[in-house]
Amino acid sequence: MAFIVVYDACVLYPSTLRDLLIRIAQAGLVQAKWTDRILDEVFRNLQANRPELDPTKLARTRELMMRAVRDCLVKDYEPLEAVLELPDADDRHVLAAAVKSRAQLIVTNNLKDFPQETLTAWNVEAVSADDFVLAQIDLDRQRVFAAVQQIADSWRKPPGAASDVLDGLSETAS
C-alpha cells in the first residue's frame, strides 16, 4: 500500500505544483488525499485572485482532479475537528482528514499552522511541498522526472521543456 498523504489547499493552488503532485500520486508513489472543503478553498481562492479564469474551466479542473487520483476524497472527518487543536482553527479540517485517512503526511507550505508537537500525537507529520517533492525524487527519481516531462509535454502555448516546469515550481515556492 502506498504512503498516504493529504495535500493542503496551499499546495494545490499553484497549477504546476498541483499537476506534479497529482502525477506523483498517479505514478503510485503516494496515495493522495484531500476533501471537498480543501478543494472548495483552492477554487474559491483561484476565482477570487484570478477573476479572468473561466469558472467553467475551473469546475472542469476540479472534476479532472477527482478523476485523476483514485480514492482521493476523505469523507466523514468532521467529527474529529472538535477534538483537534491547532494554532489556526480553520486548519483543523486538514488534520482531521489526515487522521481519518490514516495519512502519514500533510503536504503544506503553511508549516507554522501544523506544529509537530501537536501532530505527533496523531502519527502525522507536516512537510513543505519542496521537501515532499525532493523526498519523492530520492525515492524514485525516474518516475518523478517522467512526471515533470509529462507536464512539459502537455504545454502547448507555448511548448514547454522539463526545465520550464522546474522553473515554474521554483516560482511558486518564492
Side-chain angles (χ1 to χ4, degrees):
M1 180 165 188
F3 203 70
I4 301 171
V5 301
V6 170
Y7 293 153
D8 193 8
C10 62
V11 300
L12 293 174
Y13 178 91
S15 62
T16 303
L17 179 57
R18 175 177 60 240
D19 196 355
L20 180 59
L21 294 175
I22 288 170
R23 289 176 193 269
I24 285 172
Q26 287 177 318
L29 296 172
V30 299
Q31 172 59 55
K33 300 284 188 178
W34 51 71
T35 65
D36 278 326
R37 189 166 165 191
I38 289 169
L39 293 183
D40 290 346
E41 183 178 340
V42 169
F43 289 95
R44 181 179 59 250
N45 289 332
L46 278 168
Q47 190 65 61
N49 297 332
R50 303 275 315 272
E52 75 279 7
L53 295 176
D54 180 350
T56 305
K57 288 184 179 179
L58 289 176
R60 173 123 171 90
T61 298
R62 182 177 178 144
E63 179 185 322
L64 291 171
M65 287 175 67
M66 295 297 291
R67 284 197 222 156
V69 179
R70 182 185 58 79
D71 195 30
C72 61
L73 196 62
V74 180
K75 297 180 181 179
D76 303 322
Y77 61 89
E78 296 87 353
L80 293 169
E81 289 182 68
V83 299
L84 300 173
E85 292 292 326
L86 288 173
D88 184 348
D90 288 340
D91 287 320
R92 291 183 303 181
H93 69 101
V94 178
L95 178 54
V99 172
K100 176 69 178 184
S101 65
R102 295 190 169 111
Q104 291 90 358
L105 287 180
I106 296 171
V107 180
T108 182
N109 287 333
N110 295 327
L111 295 173
K112 69 180 181 352
D113 293 337
F114 296 95
Q116 194 53 54
E117 59 273 9
T118 301
L119 300 183
T120 298
W122 300 101
N123 296 316
V124 178
E125 183 180 342
V127 297
S128 70
D130 284 349
D131 288 343
F132 175 74
V133 171
L134 289 172
Q136 298 312 301
I137 291 169
D138 285 345
L139 290 171
D140 196 327
R141 178 177 300 271
Q142 280 186 298
R143 283 202 270 182
V144 175
F145 282 109
V148 169
Q149 188 61 56
Q150 289 170 349
I151 294 168
D153 291 345
S154 73
W155 291 356
R156 299 283 180 248
K157 295 179 183 178
S163 60
D164 298 322
V165 174
L166 296 174
D167 288 346
L169 291 173
S170 66
E171 289 170 9
T172 62
S174 45

